[in-house]
Amino acid sequence: MAGLSEAAANVGIDERHPRIQPRRVSFDWEKTPLHWIPGDPVATHMINSFHIVLPEGEKWFIQCVKDALPHIKDAKLRTEIKGFIGQEMVHARSHQSVLTQLLEVNGIDVSKITEPAAQGNADRPAQMAALKERSPRLWRLRLRFELAAVAAIEHYTAVLGQWIMDNDRLDEAGVDPTMLDLLRWHGAEEVEHRSVVFDVYQQMGGRYPMRVAAWAISLFFLCWAVIGGGIYLMKQDPTITRKVTLPRVYRSYRKSVRKGHIPGIFKLLLGEAPIYLKPSHHPSQICSTPQALAYLMKSPAAQAAGYDPY
């Protein structure tokens, strides 16, 4: 951890408060195969599960921080929130493009998951407005809990972002370069803005017990998203002719972990618990902003979007 702090100081980066800027990237999926990890549909679809939940998930993140923004007095954090919103809008759009331009054109329909999530986002503003009118105290309590849940998810997306930037075995496996760039660009920005929602939660009066409770619920959601979403996609994959069963999926999953195509899900989720649940934890203590910026300076999508490093 000291090494990361020293690296940040050497390039003039404040790990706690880096500059957060949206990069208007775009991706062309015409040449990307359905199994973009060659010969590994299980790992491909487990990661594809994030493409399903992230478009609406990112929109929910945005709603939460927008609700909190009028109550944030710290000028620096307000600026960071606006940068966070800009980045998450691009993330949602980019992952949506995978659904429509890659999965759907290959016969995979994810509307059973995405439509209820979209409806939940559409209904949420009116629900929050009605709750605020009825009971400002309960409105604040709900918002705090949602922010705590988002902060927990943001911890894992930052850790996954660091993992995918570090993982040379994906290059060795011949992963589709466009998909690899999307995942690493997104991961780099997750590392970059990893502290924002955590800081918003604290400034909204969030306390440690709620942070723990929201983490536990977020853990179940992430397990469902990766495992359930991956199996859901495999069952719809027209190229998979063998019956998709849990034993078969698990055996293939273990092989994928050994090859470095995906992290060990339970090891990742539970292994991060002592870090995130440490009472003194702050997101700036994990991951490396200089490394994230180094990737963004060579990302094909970020460079095509005119990314200007600072």
Side-chain angles (χ1 to χ4, degrees), residues 102-242:
L102 181 60
L103 297 186
E104 287 182 10
V105 298
N106 280 284
I108 295 179
D109 178 16
V110 297
S111 60
K112 288 184 179 179
I113 298 175
T114 58
E115 288 180 0
Q119 189 61 53
N121 276 336
D123 294 341
R124 184 182 175 280
Q127 292 172 354
M128 291 296 284
L131 181 60
K132 190 173 187 179
E133 183 176 353
R134 186 172 71 252
S135 173
R137 179 179 170 276
L138 288 178
W139 173 87
R140 198 175 186 93
L141 188 66
R142 172 175 169 173
L143 180 57
R144 280 180 189 152
F145 190 84
E146 290 188 40
L147 288 167
V150 176
I153 295 170
E154 285 284 297
H155 173 82
Y156 285 104
T157 55
V159 170
L160 283 167
Q162 188 72 48
W163 177 85
I164 203 161
M165 286 191 294
D166 290 340
N167 189 1
D168 293 336
R169 297 177 76 181
L170 293 172
D171 303 88
E172 296 168 4
V175 171
D176 175 76
T178 302
M179 184 64 75
L180 192 54
D181 186 34
L182 177 143
L183 295 172
R184 285 178 171 162
W185 153 78
H186 187 169
E189 290 197 346
E190 290 297 322
V191 169
E192 191 175 41
H193 70 226
R194 65 194 183 277
S195 298
V196 175
V197 181
F198 189 95
D199 288 343
V200 171
Y201 172 69
Q202 290 191 314
Q203 290 211 12
M204 287 294 291
R207 296 291 181 264
Y208 181 72
M210 182 179 285
R211 176 155 73 88
V212 175
W215 167 83
I217 291 175
S218 298
L219 197 72
F220 281 107
F221 167 76
L222 289 169
C223 284
W224 168 83
V226 177
I227 299 171
I231 291 173
Y232 177 82
L233 289 169
M234 281 179 263
K235 286 182 176 180
Q236 290 200 69
D237 188 327
T239 70
I240 297 178
T241 55
R242 297 182 69 187

Side-chain angles (χ1 to χ4, degrees), residues 25 295-309:
V25 301
Y295 179 75
L296 292 166
M297 290 175 66
K298 66 179 182 181
S299 160
Q303 291 306 301
Y307 167 50
D308 181 23

